[in-house]
């Protein structure tokens, strides 16, 4: 989230799309209701089903699963055609005025410039800014300082962003981002988007008009928010869908403001924390990039991952990622302690050099191919999660070993008991399975990091039962045993294991408070802040990431968490309920990364002169008397940079501005989002039939991976979702949850049920090109038939929570099939998320 849960109460307008917070985030959804109740905020809900969120909306649009980019494109087109933008924000806080290199081509045929059909990738050299300064266009009053700069002609493609960017603040240059944006989305008319999404044209226009009405007649005071969840991410173009929302919010000037932003609803209590701590293969903690084999030494690694400023004219860019060397050295000191010295590149070579894609779906495919011999599954039910669950079962049959740490037996820990496996086949499975009894969330302390980026400490309610152990004890004992084996037997490269820093009071069961302090960081030698002359003595906890150094004098496990456990104590344990501003900031409740800041990019909540767009929702502002940025929130900005410096508010981008156009392939599939059909679609791509799917999406290819077509009878769109009463795959072992939601079902439109003579409660079989699923029919009017490209099309919905282990399963109340037996192994090329939502199936009575 750019903002936070409580901040939603400050909004005037909500677009909830790709999420169903009333049912999946019910505690957080109270803030959306408060906005409606107290501010008369309007709520637009877009979903394939009429959900409980939709039931309290002001406007509901039923969309075909997977066509979200088309609708967002129509919203952007409407915004531009009707001049519903914040012009001052657009020109000064985004790259709308930046000029793009000559040779860049928009994807009218479905492909951007630079496409290589043989390699199935793009040469992205034209996806860059023109170098230079101000164009010869007349300079507007807000840019008098730019008049002295000339426009530089195109040169050879630079290897990185140009230091000086050509720009046109009048937004008239034909190759400026604004003009290219208008050209890109002029194709997304309400008429064509109706045929793609199934939403009637008048409803598209009504929703676009309502959401952008906050900028009608040049108004800037009101603010709108976009709220989404995995209904957007779980697609082969999921990242680009979220990009579309970001672009819309930048056009409207809604990012950085109270009640605004782009707000992801994380599905678990600590998904945000897992991501922050590098629970994925291509980052290190704090979103530092992983080394690759081309990073021959620490210097070349830092040169690759540390951005240089790229700014137009005399604008300033804080470019906060320029501090990457400080973050990286401090991280290596936390990892390897005294073994990390300047002489050995701070033990940089101890880090793995990631040479290929180790994303979730790729790992399971590699296991299926015999390349991965073993798996540790901690709190992660890989068989049920899928995609293509039957393939995952087949993969585990081929593994040498499986280690599972869980609180209940699940589909992964008992994969050999999957329906269809005979006793004879079981004997042929040679996988050794180690089942470790772990502890439940109420049995351990530590932090959760919620969607709002709050680190909140929790205390154990009860001790783990019986022989169950805490996660950190299990991991510590495995690590220490492996280290002993390296000491005794040697190994190919034992240094990272033997030299890992493990200085805990109880090395066999480290205190999570000690780990939290390590993540915060401490001084190894005395460190002085030159601005304030504050000195942190060796051994003391650091007050924040501004004290991190690249000379080895500080250690910090995650720079974003620095400030969360200081010499003053555990900031994450605070529970202060005071809120002086009334904006829901609660600065003394827990601790929010970064720097206890509650709204990111909050400099953008003020105009060019440093005055809030809306004084009644003032977050930060420029104090002329103290020459400092001050406010109710922690300013996300250089504290002493006066408005006259023209420093951009988006300090994590080297340009200092928000990116409507994403340069140099920082998004793999194009600088602007383009509508591509899901890989199993009921229609051709109406924008460019010759390029139906996302050309750089990753389609896993194996004997177990097949795609279905309408011609083969797969003519119904299927999506998956979660229920309030169940929590993924383990509450089905809790009698209370099972009583509330006793068995699985398939949600079927009443019209489809009538055609097929299916009654509610009757068992049905749903079949995809990969497998089948059996459950009772729940006949509903919450899903309507849709006209997709003139053809009547049905959608059905399946909750994900059941499988072949659990109370209902053991009592014989289910068919012991998994929803993700149906889903395809097609993944987004940026975040590598599978396309769980929007695939083709056929339906019949069971």
């Amino acid at each position: 989230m750019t903002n936070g849960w409580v901040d939603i109460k400050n909004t005037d307008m909500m677009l909830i799309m790709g999420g169903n917070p009333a049912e999946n985030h019910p505690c957080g959804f109270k803030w959306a209701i408060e906005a409606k109740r107290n501010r008369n905020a309007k709520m637009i809900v877009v979903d394939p089903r009429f959900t409980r969120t939709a039931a309290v909306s002001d406007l509901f649009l039923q969309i075909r699963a997977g066509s979200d980019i088309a609708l967002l494109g129509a919203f952007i087109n409407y915004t531009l055609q009707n001049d519903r933008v914040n012009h001052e924000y657009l020109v000064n806080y985004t790259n709308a005025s930046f000029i793009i290199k000559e040779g860049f081509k928009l994807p009218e045929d479905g492909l951007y410039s630079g496409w290589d059909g043989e390699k199935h990738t793009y040469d992205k050299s034209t996806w860059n800014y023109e170098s230079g300064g101000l164009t010869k266009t007349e300079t507007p009053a807000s840019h008098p300082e730019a008049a002295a700069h000339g426009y530089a002609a195109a040169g050879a493609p630079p290897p990185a962003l140009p230091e000086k960017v050509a720009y046109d603040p009048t937004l008239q240059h034909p190759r400026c981002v604004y003009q290219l944006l208008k050209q890109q989305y002029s194709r997304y008319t309400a008429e064509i988007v109706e045929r793609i999404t199934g939403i009637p044209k008048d409803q598209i226009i009504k929703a676009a008009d309502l959401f952008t009405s906050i900028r009608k007649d040049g108004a800037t005071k009101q603010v709108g928010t976009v709220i989404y969840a995995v209904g957007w991410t779980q697609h082969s173009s999921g990242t680009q869908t979220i990009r579309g929302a970001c672009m819309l919010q930048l056009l409207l000037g809604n990012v950085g403001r109270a009640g605004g932003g782009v707000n992801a609803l994380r599905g678990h209590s600590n998904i945000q924390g897992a991501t922050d701590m590098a629970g994925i293969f291509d980052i290190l903690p704090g979103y530092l990039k992983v080394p690759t084999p081309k990073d021959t030494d620490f210097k070349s690694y830092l040169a690759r991952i540390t951005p240089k400023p790229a700014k137009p004219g005399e604008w300033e860019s804080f470019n906060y990622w320029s501090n990457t060397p400080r973050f990286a050295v401090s991280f290596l000191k936390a990892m390897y302690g005294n073994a990390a010295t300047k002489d050995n590149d701070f033990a940089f070579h101890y880090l793995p050099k990631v040479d290929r894609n180790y994303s979730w779906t790729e790992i399971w495919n590699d296991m299926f191919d015999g390349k991965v011999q073993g798996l540790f599954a901690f709190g992660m039910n890989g068989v049920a999660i899928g995609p293509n669950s039957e393939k995952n079962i087949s993969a585990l049959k081929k593994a040498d070993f499986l280690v599972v740490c869980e609180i209940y037996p699940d589909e992964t820990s008992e994969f050999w008991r999957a329906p269809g496996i005979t006793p004879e086949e079981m004997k042929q499975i040679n996988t050794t399975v180690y089942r470790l009894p772990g502890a439940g969330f109420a049995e351990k302390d530590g932090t959760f990091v919620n969607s709002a980026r709050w680190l909140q400490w929790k205390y154990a309610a009860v001790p783990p039962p019986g022989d169950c152990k805490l996660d950190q004890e299990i991991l510590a004992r495995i690590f220490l045993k492996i280290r002993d084996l390296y000491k005794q037997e040697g190994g190919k490269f034992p240094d990272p294991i033997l030299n890992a820093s493990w200085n805990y009071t109880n090395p066999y069961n480290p205190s999570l408070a000690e780990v939290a302090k390590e993540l915060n960081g401490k001084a190894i030698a005395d460190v002085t802040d030159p601005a304030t002359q504050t000195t942190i003595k060796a051994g003391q906890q650091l007050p924040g990431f501004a004290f991190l150094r690249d000379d080895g004098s500080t250690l910090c496990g995650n720079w974003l968490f620095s400030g969360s456990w200081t010499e003053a104590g555990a900031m994450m344990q605070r529970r202060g309920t005071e809120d002086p501003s009334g904006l829901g900031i609660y600065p003394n409740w827990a601790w929010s990364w970064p720097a206890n800041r509650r709204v990111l990019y909050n400099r953008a909540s003020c105009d060019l002169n440093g005055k809030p767009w809306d004084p009644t929702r003032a977050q930060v502002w420029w104090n002329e008397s103290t020459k400092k940025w001050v406010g109710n929130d922690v300013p996300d900005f250089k504290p002493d940079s006066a408005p006259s410096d023209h420093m951009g508010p988006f300090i994590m981008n080297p340009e200092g501005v928000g990116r409507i156009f994403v340069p140099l392939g920082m998004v793999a599939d194009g600088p602007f989002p383009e509508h591509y059909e899901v890989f199993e679609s009921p229609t051709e791509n109406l924008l460019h039939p010759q390029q139906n799917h996302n050309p750089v999406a990753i389609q896993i290819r194996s004997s177990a991976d097949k795609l279905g077509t309408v011609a083969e009878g797969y003519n119904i769109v299927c999506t998956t979702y979660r229920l309030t009463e169940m929590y993924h795959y383990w509450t089905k072992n809790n009698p209370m949850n099972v009583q509330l939601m006793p068995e699985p079902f398939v949600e079927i439109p009443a019209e489809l049920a009538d055609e097929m003579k299916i009654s509610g409660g009757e068992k049905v079989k749903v079949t995809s090109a990969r497998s089948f699923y059996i459950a009772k029919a729940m006949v509903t009017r919450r899903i309507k038939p849709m006209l997709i490209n003139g053809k009547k099309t049905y959608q059905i919905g399946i909750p994900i929570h059941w499988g072949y282990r659990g109370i209902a399963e053991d009592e014989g109340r289910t068919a012991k099939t998994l929803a993700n037996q149906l889903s395809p192994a097609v993944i987004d090329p940026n975040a590598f998320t599978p396309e769980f939502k929007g695939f083709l199936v056929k339906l019949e009575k069971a």
Side-chain angles (χ1 to χ4, degrees):
M1 282 186 170
T2 56
N3 294 42
W5 280 110
V6 184
D7 178 73
I8 293 171
K9 76 171 188 170
N10 297 314
T11 196
D12 300 299
M13 186 70 61
M14 290 169 271
L15 174 61
I16 302 177
M17 191 173 168
N20 177 18
E23 295 178 73
N24 297 145
H25 307 85
C27 298
F29 190 60
K30 65 173 281 189
W31 302 109
I33 297 300
E34 285 210 13
K36 284 178 67 67
R37 182 184 296 132
N38 298 331
R39 298 194 62 87
N40 194 29
K42 303 303 178 188
M43 182 189 293
I44 303 165
V45 172
V46 182
D47 199 283
R49 303 180 302 126
F50 186 79
T51 62
R52 287 179 172 86
T53 306
V56 295
S57 67
D58 296 279
L59 180 61
F60 169 67
L61 308 182
Q62 181 182 303
I63 191 172
R64 173 171 65 95
S67 61
D68 306 75
I69 288 176
L71 183 62
L72 289 170
F75 286 178
I76 291 171
N77 187 25
Y78 185 92
T79 303
L80 297 171
Q81 293 296 326
N82 292 276
D83 199 28
R84 297 275 179 93
V85 300
N86 182 334
H87 282 274
E88 186 175 319
Y89 187 110
L90 185 67
V91 172
N92 296 284
Y93 299 167
T94 80
N95 64 1
S97 67
F98 289 21
I99 296 169
I100 304 306
K101 287 184 68 67
E102 200 162 1
F104 172 73
K105 180 186 79 69
L106 290 168
E108 284 93 346
D109 60 354
L111 298 169
Y112 283 95
S113 52
W115 174 248
D116 186 323
E118 288 186 11
K119 296 179 180 177
H120 285 273
T121 187
Y122 283 105
D123 171 0
K124 307 174 183 78
S125 57
T126 60
W127 304 6
N128 202 352
Y129 307 130
E130 192 71 83
S131 61
L134 187 71
T135 67
K136 295 293 186 180
T137 319
E138 182 183 350
T139 306
S142 61
H143 288 264
E145 80 288 348
H149 297 274
Y151 167 62
L161 299 178
E163 183 181 351
K164 293 286 186 182
V165 177
Y167 69 110
D168 175 13
T170 68
L171 307 182
Q172 297 305 306
H173 192 286
R175 280 189 285 113
C176 80
V177 168
Y178 184 74
Q179 292 298 329
L180 291 172
L181 185 74
K182 289 178 75 173
Q183 186 181 337
Q184 162 75 356
Y185 293 106
S186 63
R187 298 174 295 139
Y188 288 68
T189 62
E191 290 78 11
I192 195 78
V193 172
E194 174 182 24
R195 293 169 60 199
I196 294 171
T197 64
I199 303 170
K201 175 179 68 173
D202 62 323
Q203 294 294 296
I204 294 170
I205 295 170
K206 185 177 180 181
D209 182 66
L210 178 58
F211 189 69
T212 63
S213 63
I214 57 173
R215 294 293 168 264
K216 194 172 182 179
D217 300 325
T220 58
K221 190 174 181 180
Q222 288 191 303
V223 66
T225 185
V226 172
I227 297 169
Y228 76 94
V230 295
W232 270 2
T233 58
Q234 293 176 353
H235 290 292
S236 53
S237 296
T239 301
Q240 288 285 41
T241 305
I242 300 158
R243 278 271 306 127
C246 296
M247 291 159 57
L248 180 62
Q249 289 292 73
L250 288 172
L251 287 169
L252 295 167
N254 282 333
V255 181
R257 296 186 57 181
V262 181
N263 294 303
L265 313 182
R266 309 308 299 265
H268 295 255
S269 52
N270 198 35
I271 282 287
Q272 186 64 55
T275 317
D276 299 339
M277 286 306 302
I280 44 182
F281 78 96
D282 54 354
I283 58 170
L284 299 172
Y287 302 91
L288 299 171
K289 293 182 174 67
V290 293
T292 70
K294 292 182 180 179
D295 298 320
T296 53
D297 54 32
F298 192 42
K299 182 180 178 181
S300 62
Y301 166 71
L302 290 178
R304 177 176 68 85
I305 71 168
T306 307
K308 293 179 172 59
K311 53 191 182 180
E314 295 304 302
W315 296 14
E316 293 297 324
S317 171
F318 202 11
N319 186 28
Y320 208 80
W321 275 116
S322 64
N323 292 295
T324 295
R326 299 182 179 204
F327 308 153
V329 171
S330 298
F331 167 71
L332 289 169
K333 291 296 291 183
M335 284 288 289
Y336 305 114
N338 294 333
T341 67
K342 191 172 183 179
D343 292 338
N344 72 349
D345 267 357
F346 296 105
F348 166 71
H349 292 291
Y350 290 0
L351 291 176
K353 309 301 183 289
V354 176
D355 58 349
R356 58 188 179 274
N357 188 322
Y358 290 96
S359 67
W360 174 263
T361 312
E362 297 275 6
I363 288 171
W364 286 92
N365 188 61
D366 285 346
M367 193 187 303
F368 182 80
D369 288 343
K371 298 173 186 173
V372 170
Q373 280 77 45
L375 179 74
F376 283 72
F378 277 59
M380 184 67 85
N381 189 346
V383 166
I385 287 171
N388 197 358
S389 292
E390 284 191 0
K391 178 185 174 183
N392 290 3
I393 293 168
S394 298
L396 286 171
K397 291 178 186 177
K398 300 177 183 181
D400 294 337
F401 70 89
L402 168 68
V403 181
V404 179
C405 177
E406 267 296 348
I407 59 175
Y408 296 111
D410 63 11
E411 284 75 14
T412 300
S413 66
E414 299 197 354
F415 70 90
W416 66 89
R417 292 183 177 174
I421 298 179
T422 65
E424 227 17 73
E425 285 175 304
M426 281 188 200
K427 294 176 185 176
Q428 307 302 315
I429 300 172
N430 295 315
T431 313
T432 304
V433 180
Y434 303 87
R435 298 200 291 198
L436 309 179
F441 70 91
E443 296 157 5
K444 39 193 171 183
D445 63 4
T447 54
F448 281 159
V449 185
N450 70 2
S451 300
R453 298 169 282 103
W454 294 3
L455 280 75
Q456 299 183 93
W457 187 267
K458 65 186 181 68
Y459 297 89
V462 290
D467 293 329
C468 297
K469 293 186 182 299
L470 300 173
D471 294 5
Q472 68 264 32
E473 181 177 357
I474 294 172
L475 290 168
R477 286 176 181 273
I478 293 172
F479 167 72
L480 292 171
K481 185 65 177 177
I482 289 172
R483 192 171 71 175
D484 287 344
L485 288 170
Y486 269 107
K487 285 177 182 176
Q488 295 161 17
E489 302 175 9
K492 204 166 192 178
F493 185 40
D495 306 46
I497 304 298
L498 298 181
N499 292 316
S501 177
W502 202 263
N503 302 317
Y504 304 113
T505 304
N506 180 357
Y508 292 93
N509 187 6
S511 158
L512 292 186
E514 288 184 80
V515 178
K517 289 181 179 180
E518 191 177 25
L519 293 175
N520 176 90
K522 69 178 181 180
I524 299 171
D526 290 0
V527 179
T528 301
D529 177 23
T532 62
Q533 290 303 302
T534 303
T535 297
I536 306 300
K537 297 291 187 182
Q540 288 186 321
Q541 292 292 107
L542 297 175
F545 50 70
F547 283 85
L548 297 178
R549 298 291 181 265
D550 61 3
D551 60 2
S553 59
T554 57
L555 69 80
C556 177
N558 185 332
W559 72 274
L560 283 173
F561 292 176
S562 190
S564 62
W565 198 309
T566 69
E567 284 297 306
M571 301 295 106
M572 59 183 70
Q573 292 179 356
R574 298 180 302 171
R575 292 297 182 267
T577 56
E578 59 274 16
D579 182 32
S581 69
L583 293 174
I585 293 172
Y586 297 102
N588 297 318
W589 181 281
W591 188 88
S592 175
W593 71 253
N596 203 34
R597 185 173 294 122
R598 305 295 162 133
V599 175
L600 299 179
Y601 306 118
N602 55 32
R603 162 64 182 94
S605 68
C606 296
D607 62 18
L608 277 177
N609 298 316
K611 295 179 180 177
W613 298 107
D614 178 10
T616 67
R617 285 175 281 195
Q619 298 152 264
V620 300
W621 54 89
W622 175 253
N623 187 315
E624 187 59 38
S625 60
T626 62
K627 304 296 183 185
K628 296 277 186 184
W629 285 91
V630 297
N632 296 308
D633 198 1
V634 177
D636 193 6
F637 205 57
K638 191 169 184 287
D640 59 353
S641 178
S644 57
D645 294 342
H646 211 295
M647 178 176 282
F650 289 85
I651 64 171
M652 302 309 288
N653 286 339
E655 308 95 315
V657 295
R659 288 172 169 161
I660 292 174
F661 178 102
V662 176
L664 282 184
M666 293 165 186
V667 177
D669 29 12
F672 295 136
E674 174 73 353
H675 165 69
Y676 294 108
E677 283 298 328
V678 291
F679 268 67
E680 290 188 337
S681 170
T683 182
E684 65 181 9
N685 192 317
L686 299 180
L687 293 174
H688 29 70
Q690 70 275 32
Q691 185 57 54
N692 219 33
H693 312 306
N694 185 343
V696 293
I698 302 168
Q699 180 185 349
I700 304 295
R701 299 178 188 275
S702 76
S703 58
D705 289 292
K706 301 167 187 172
L707 293 178
T709 64
V710 173
E712 296 170 301
Y714 302 107
N715 59 352
I716 295 170
V717 177
C718 182
T719 190
T720 58
Y721 57 91
R722 292 175 285 186
L723 301 170
T724 309
E725 297 82 0
M726 288 289 181
Y727 186 79
H728 273 238
Y729 306 104
W730 63 270
T731 49
K732 62 193 174 106
N733 296 284
N734 183 352
M736 182 182 292
N737 294 83
V738 174
Q739 185 177 1
L740 291 168
M741 189 55 66
E743 57 187 306
F745 57 87
V746 179
E747 198 167 358
I748 298 171
E751 293 85 350
L752 178 60
D754 289 343
E755 286 181 17
M756 301 189 68
K757 296 182 171 50
I758 294 171
S759 303
E762 193 173 0
K763 279 192 177 179
V764 293
K765 181 179 182 181
V766 182
T767 307
S768 74
R770 292 153 294 281
S771 187
F772 65 91
Y773 181 78
I774 294 175
K776 287 181 180 178
M778 188 185 87
V779 179
T780 177
R781 300 198 181 279
R782 296 189 298 191
I783 311 176
K784 304 284 187 186
M786 309 184 79
L787 275 181
I788 304 299
N789 194 18
K791 184 179 178 182
K792 187 178 184 181
T793 303
Y794 287 111
Q795 300 189 104
I796 64 172
I798 300 179
I800 63 171
H801 305 288
W802 289 270
Y804 49 83
R805 277 311 313 258
I807 293 174
E809 291 90 336
D810 293 346
E811 292 179 355
R813 284 189 275 134
T814 77
K816 297 190 175 183
T817 49
L818 291 147
N820 275 320
Q821 290 176 203
L822 302 171
S823 54
V826 176
I827 55 181
D828 173 274
N830 302 285
F832 311 113
T833 308
E835 193 153 67
F836 291 117
K837 300 187 186 295
F839 50 88
L840 291 178
V841 296
K842 59 178 73 168
L843 180 70
E844 59 192 314
K845 292 185 178 185

